[in-house]
Amino acid sequence: MVTFAAGLLDATVQAATVLILAGLGELITERAGVLNLGVEGMMLTGALGGFIATVLTGSHWFGFGVGIVCGVLLAAVHAFLCITLNADQVISGVMITLLGGGLTTYFGSAWVEESIDGFPEVTPPLIGEYLVEIPLIGEAFFRSTATDYLALLLVPVGWYFLTRTNLGLELVSIGEDPETADTMGISVFRLRYLAVLIGGGFAGAAGAHLSLAFSGLWVPGMTAGRGWIAVALVIFAQWRPSRLLVGAYLFGLLDAFRLRSQSLSLSLEPGTPLAGVLNPVVDFLTNPQIMGTYPYLATIIVLTYTVARTQSDRLAVPDALLEPYTREID
Amino acid sequence: MVRIDLTAREHVPRWLGYATPVVTVLLALACGGIALLALGVSPLAAYWTMFGETLLSTFGRTQTLIKAVPLILAGLAVYLPLRAGLFNIGAEGQLVFGAVAGAWIGLNVNLPGVLLLPLMFVAAGAAGAFLAGIPAWLRARWDVNEIITSLLLTFVALQIQSYLVRGPMQDPTGNFPHTAQLSAAATIPEAIFNVHAGLVVAIAAVAVTYVGVRKTALGFEITFVGANDAAARQAGMSRVKIYLLVFVIGGAFAGLAGISEIAGLQGRLRAGFEPGYGFTAIPIALLGRSSAVNVMLAGLFFALLFVGGSSMSVAYGVPAALVEILQALIILFLITAEFFKRYQVDIEFDRAASASTGGEA
Amino acid sequence: MADHAFLRMEDIYKEFPGVVANDHIDLTVAGGEIHGLLGENGAGKSTLMKALYGLYTPDSGEIYLRGDRLELASPQDAIDAGIGMVHQHFKLIPRLTVAENVVLGQREPAAAFRADNGDSRLPETIRTNRVVQSLAKTFSLGLTAPEQRIQALADQYGFDIDVSARVADLDVGQQQRVEILKALYRDVDLLILDEPTAVLSPTEADRLFESLSRLADEGLSIIFITHKLGEVTAIADRVTVLREGRRVDTVPVAETTQADLAELMVGREVLFRIDKDDTAHGDPVLDATGIRAADDRGINALDSLDLTVREGEVVGIAGVSGNGQTELAEALAGIREMTGGDLRVNSTDLAGASPRAFVDAGISFVPEDRLQYGCAEELSVLHNAGMKAYREGRFADGPLLDYDELGSYAESLIEEFDIRGVSDVTDIDAGDLSGGNLQKLILARELDRDPDLLIANQPTRGVDVGAIEFIREAILEQREQGTGIVLLSEDLDEITDLSDRILVLYEGEFVYETTPEAADRERLGIEMTGGRVDDEPADAPEAVAPPAGAGSDTAEPGDSAEATDSTTDVAAAGDGD
């Protein structure tokens, strides 16, 4: 049981990192008022780009950097379409996902055979050896790849950025009321571009983590919908970094659990009362595919709840999300 | 110094409306050609195989028509809400739901084909309509963004389908993630052009939609609500009713797309059976946004793209993902074209050294 | 008050497609002066101030502050020059606190990095380094010092504000004060306020005026835009009156009366003299009592109105835009929810009914904003002509809609109402028509239904002269056919020419009633702007004249049929929200 739990936590942490990275980026983008549905596509290009770079140069960090750049490039297209051309953000995002998927499958076919040693799992310097000893969570949390730690560190950084810096304040303001922000002298266009590019970079990083740390492989479509989960996660987290972290672990736990649930016998003994009713129900609820719906259902519920509540709570949703902004010139 | 002047067009010239889809496709093909060159394949040869050879062979034409059936129906599923100004991004999920419901009927209900098939279609339509109704209702009741909810529900539907074909609906004879083969009674027979009767359903759907939108009072309302919902409301049209209706009907069309693919072609419900028809429906609806007939033409074109793409991929050893790239490029150029339709861009090369453009005297 | 002008706007000219918003206007304001900018909607006040605030660039003319020429390309330039603006629609972000809203865009660095912070642990050389400052301004946020300063300012001027409160939690009056604090924080020398009391209760307005007086005493120059006479006489030192884009006059408040100002504002020209038959008025068509409604921001716009309209009667509602006209028209047409009151049309109870019920009850509506509520620009003339008619039986062809019949119908409307520019009803879109022709199309469609009640809100705004006459005749014709008509208009000539009865709407209430024969333009002007009938210069801000409209003795409903050049009311092109 203990080993199961430890293994579960380990898998949770790994699964969460991808979600944290992609989710933080999307959170920043959406806080600025732009919806990016192209996360999946950006992650894929980051994964492939990073993978190729690492295979060719042997350097993980260089590959990681390349992955980020790939995400940024794709995000630049989205930014140009949505911010400069005022195109529909949803259509552009879906297009980016298709484009990223198509491009990576097309150009990545040559790289499927390769494999690399991913980022090594390390313990934090100095205190690491002691932290690892902590029962149950020690191995899971404190023996991870550099990118895992990076993701964790970025959460408070992201929070600090949004709430305690001027740049973050301005970014939040353009997501709430770009007209007002414009009047106050803030450059809505420039900041929105920045937010989208940051989001793309994070998504690229998430993808690179997948191919460079999580698996050490490239497989077409390897993101397997994690990009969409990240989008859902941002909503579930009500656009707050702290909740994003919790949500990422929650969704990550769900993901890890559903892959292992088969090996765990959760049924009650036939003799126990209600076993006949409960067993099938539990079986159903712990079925891997059914569990796969939970993040999405949870998000729909949270979103409905957030939107349906009274005025003061609707403040959770960035007011200007999805609205293109044009300065009314004479 | 280059100065770019944007002036909003007062009137969109008609020729621009017609030229746009054509130019868009050509541009996308041109860019795709670059990708082909990157893999050392001649674009002209590849495109010839893709389009020319496919159209010239009977087999190719038949395959195209078969492929077109779910694409046309899915395209309609996005087109109709678009007409009313809404975005049905959950067509993929509605399609899957329809396939599941229809297949379930087909596998579990014992009726002669002449009764069974219509029942399957009805079930499929109802299932798709139901799934589409959820985001529509959430929007109408609580103003929850229907784009996000319909998108998330798509993934829920995909998971549910995956569960069913591995569990309750799994073919008992093996351990594969698919259902049993549908019986002959539950299989759509061939109807026209060597294609199963699903094509008839698709054409009928196009006709009904076309007539409905262009020639009925309801279509009048849908068009008006899509053009200016505030004025439509003032005129007494019920926005909520229209929104719900177009989403539900769209969902039904998507459901029909699902079942026609299963019962007409694939023969059984498999895990991951649809290569993103619901998302391909988006460029189809955008290309054909002016009329249901155009949606049908766009659907045919994309079917050709898929069928030709796969034979090209085999012939030249090029990943079939090129088709996905082309799809994305078509969308990309379409939305860029939107911009040029709305604004006239004048680029001037300014010889003047200083750049002051003071409005004041 | 100094003699040299602190602010000098010279010869400002600004044109929009189809209308001249500012026609060579001069304006001077002294230091420490409170200057009122008075005028009807469309007079050009907002445009002029937007030019001063950098939101618009005048086509020609100059602005001088303290004798220096200003080039204002953006609001930031204006702020840098020391000009601040308090907008009518607040530019605040509800989610953020007062301090955050005030400080937004200023990039205040964290306390440790402030150049003036003697307590900081960072050595001065590092603190004042340019790179460090730049980084600190971007990547840190200091609210402590700003909060103290804002609080000090608030206390100084008697604002009761908690600077760390979320703006969403403040009431309207407090929010407005935050807007003012934003300007004060930036050390402005000139403050522009755009219709500041539009959202305030009388008590709150008084408090605002007190604060403004104190500010002026300290040397701040203030310009405030208004259409309310009472305000001007209450606190302004001087007032400039604008009308139809031109400056009519600038007078010291002490030397004028509200009556004079009203006259300057509305003028005396008569446009057309239309002969109206005496029609017998029939039974009441519209019977509305106690109507209350809120505006888009949720603030109460209509304060328990009673309105009765009989068959064949035209009730003209005069008033300056922003006093509840839009809300009243929309409530009567069924597209705005009433928060209270009863509404009966031909004894059908319509309170809380859907727009469809209103349409079916025989109510026609010509909205103020024709592009927003009156038509679908991208759709053809045929579609727009049939916007309400399509449901009628004559257009049904079995289950289908008879488009051919609709086409003929559209064509007949075009013919009857002399609508120009339509070569093909299916090919030409509503957006292709000129303002006048589009308005005629809308009117045609609405009148052809032979309604029992017609609501017409600013029916001739933005319309060319020829069409204006046509439209007014059409309204009178409909009157003869027995339709009850509610006519809302800012154009007093229109009101006096077409109405059987005149009501003045001010701040959501009917403050005066009269008839065209008994009406005195001056009186109407005063009532429309909330002035007192017999007032002395300066004193209490507002007064409400008793509704019983026993007109004054000097009845002069216009004189010679002076069909001078048109004084089409300036369309709301960029003016007034």
Side-chain angles (χ1 to χ4, degrees), chain C residues 122-156:
Chain C
L122 288 178
E124 192 176 334
T125 37
I126 296 187
R127 254 188 294 137
T128 50
N129 175 276
R130 298 249 308 260
V131 176
V132 171
Q133 273 286 303
S134 168
L135 286 177
K137 286 186 176 179
T138 312
F139 294 109
S140 74
L141 171 60
L143 287 178
T144 340
E147 276 181 357
Q148 286 171 0
R149 183 158 165 242
I150 299 170
Q151 192 67 61
L153 281 170
D155 294 336
Q156 185 181 0

Side-chain angles (χ1 to χ4, degrees), chain B residues 11-332:
Chain B
H11 183 73
V12 180
R14 290 235 161 217
W15 66 265
L16 204 55
Y18 295 134
T20 307
V22 176
V23 172
T24 300
V25 169
L26 289 176
L27 276 175
L29 289 175
C31 289
I34 300 175
L36 284 166
L37 282 174
L39 287 191
V41 173
S42 150
L44 289 173
Y47 283 144
W48 174 249
T49 308
M50 220 164 113
F51 298 109
E53 284 181 19
T54 312
L55 284 173
L56 288 179
S57 80
T58 330
F59 180 71
R61 286 196 297 269
T62 317
Q63 286 301 108
T64 301
L65 286 174
I66 295 177
K67 204 68 162 177
V69 173
L71 287 177
I72 292 175
L73 285 167
L76 288 176
V78 178
Y79 163 79
L80 191 60
L82 198 61
R83 226 26 229 211
L86 292 179
F87 206 169
N88 181 13
I89 199 182
E92 183 82 344
Q94 293 145 22
L95 184 153
V96 166
F97 241 47
V100 163
W104 190 88
I105 298 274
L107 291 170
N108 292 300
V109 172
N110 252 320
L111 281 177
V114 100
L115 290 175
L116 184 60
L117 283 169
L119 187 62
M120 285 163 66
F121 270 88
V122 166
F130 167 72
L131 194 67
I134 298 177
W137 180 74
L138 285 175
R139 168 71 194 264
R141 179 77 176 79
W142 282 308
D143 211 21
V144 182
N145 187 303
E146 75 281 0
I147 295 175
I148 298 179
T149 44
S150 55
L151 181 64
L152 295 177
L153 281 174
T154 295
F155 299 118
V156 171
L158 287 171
Q159 291 290 110
I160 291 180
Q161 185 245 2
S162 181
Y163 161 73
L164 288 171
V165 299
R166 285 167 224 267
M169 284 176 74
Q170 188 177 38
D171 184 350
T173 64
N175 202 20
F176 299 107
H178 58 63
T179 65
Q181 187 82 10
L182 286 170
S183 65
T187 307
I188 308 179
E190 257 184 34
I192 50 173
F193 307 129
N194 284 335
V195 178
H196 62 84
L199 184 60
V200 177
V201 173
I203 296 177
V206 170
V208 165
T209 308
Y210 182 80
V211 168
V213 169
R214 287 289 176 105
K215 298 203 185 290
T216 64
L218 181 62
F220 186 88
E221 287 182 6
I222 292 175
T223 307
F224 222 100
V225 168
N228 183 348
D229 62 294
R233 178 167 172 262
Q234 190 258 111
M237 302 184 206
S238 168
R239 207 183 66 154
V240 169
K241 171 187 112 185
I242 298 287
Y243 279 174
L244 283 171
L245 208 60
V246 294
F247 244 85
V248 163
I249 297 180
F253 280 149
L256 293 180
I259 190 57
S260 66
E261 177 76 354
I262 299 303
L265 180 67
Q266 297 196 12
R268 64 172 92 225
L269 190 62
R270 284 187 182 77
F273 71 91
E274 21 44 44
Y277 289 148
F279 289 115
T280 308
I282 296 175
I284 292 177
L286 289 177
L287 273 177
R289 81 188 301 167
S290 49
S291 112
V293 172
N294 285 350
V295 171
M296 184 175 76
L297 294 174
L300 281 166
F301 171 71
F302 270 84
L304 181 61
L305 210 58
F306 275 122
V307 171
S310 99
S311 68
M312 177 218 55
S313 145
V314 167
Y316 291 92
V318 157
L322 179 72
V323 174
E324 221 179 301
I325 299 179
L326 286 174
Q327 266 187 63
L329 288 172
I330 290 180
I331 302 180
L332 173 65

Side-chain angles (χ1 to χ4, degrees), chain B residues 10-12 14 83 211-221 223-238 241 357-361, chain C residues 57-62 69-72 335 355-356 359 365 367 371-376 378-379 383-384 386-388 390-391 399-401 403 406 427 432:
Chain B
E10 295 215 335
H11 183 73
V12 180
R14 290 235 161 217
R83 226 26 229 211
V211 168
V213 169
R214 287 289 176 105
K215 298 203 185 290
T216 64
L218 181 62
F220 186 88
E221 287 182 6
T223 307
F224 222 100
V225 168
N228 183 348
D229 62 294
R233 178 167 172 262
Q234 190 258 111
M237 302 184 206
S238 168
K241 171 187 112 185
T357 48
E360 302 176 352
Chain C
T57 314
D59 297 327
S60 71
E62 274 120 38
R69 169 112 186 260
L70 290 183
E71 294 260 358
L72 301 169
I335 62 175
R356 175 71 186 269
V359 171
F365 183 36
L371 291 181
Q372 187 183 14
Y373 289 114
C375 72
E378 315 159 5
L379 295 184
H383 279 93
N384 283 284
M387 188 170 115
K388 294 185 179 176
Y390 75 97
R391 291 188 200 99
L400 303 178
L401 189 59
Y403 273 81
L406 270 178
D427 209 28
D432 298 332

Side-chain angles (χ1 to χ4, degrees), chain C residues 191-204:
Chain C
L191 188 63
I192 310 169
L193 294 114
D194 189 355
E195 312 263 7
T197 58
V199 298
L200 301 180
S201 67
T203 338
E204 287 173 326

Side-chain angles (χ1 to χ4, degrees), chain C residues 239-415:
Chain C
V239 56
T240 296
V241 182
L242 296 185
R243 192 168 79 225
E244 282 150 20
R246 293 190 205 94
R247 185 181 74 96
V248 179
D249 202 359
T250 303
V251 288
V253 168
E255 295 167 20
T256 187
T257 65
Q258 288 196 14
D260 293 337
L261 289 175
E263 189 188 318
L264 290 174
M265 260 182 70
V266 300
R268 276 181 176 281
E269 293 109 13
V270 174
L271 184 58
F272 306 111
R273 190 86 197 102
I274 301 186
D275 286 315
K276 221 163 58 208
D277 295 332
D278 267 322
T279 339
H281 302 316
D283 298 318
V285 173
L286 171 69
D287 193 3
T289 48
I291 305 211
R292 307 173 69 88
D295 67 12
D296 290 337
R297 277 171 299 178
I299 302 173
N300 202 38
L302 298 178
D303 216 348
S304 206
L305 293 177
D306 297 330
L307 181 62
T308 311
V309 179
R310 298 174 177 284
E311 286 175 6
E313 180 184 25
V314 176
V315 176
I317 303 195
V320 179
S321 230
N323 280 290
Q325 286 91 334
T326 311
E327 290 79 9
L328 178 60
E330 289 178 2
L332 292 176
I335 62 175
R336 182 173 290 266
E337 211 183 304
M338 297 193 313
T339 52
D342 261 319
L343 185 63
R344 264 168 218 288
V345 172
N346 280 335
S347 55
T348 315
D349 184 6
L350 288 176
S354 69
R356 175 71 186 269
F358 278 76
V359 171
D360 288 340
I363 302 179
S364 277
F365 183 36
V366 176
E368 179 182 14
D369 187 342
R370 45 182 169 267
L371 291 181
Q372 187 183 14
Y373 289 114
C375 72
E377 276 186 274
E378 315 159 5
L379 295 184
S380 71
V381 169
L382 184 153
H383 279 93
N384 283 284
M387 188 170 115
K388 294 185 179 176
Y390 75 97
R391 291 188 200 99
E392 289 170 30
R394 56 181 160 141
F395 298 115
D397 181 14
L400 303 178
L401 189 59
D402 193 339
Y403 273 81
D404 289 327
E405 193 66 39
L406 270 178
S408 312
Y409 171 69
E411 278 162 16
S412 72
L413 289 182
I414 306 259
E415 189 84 42

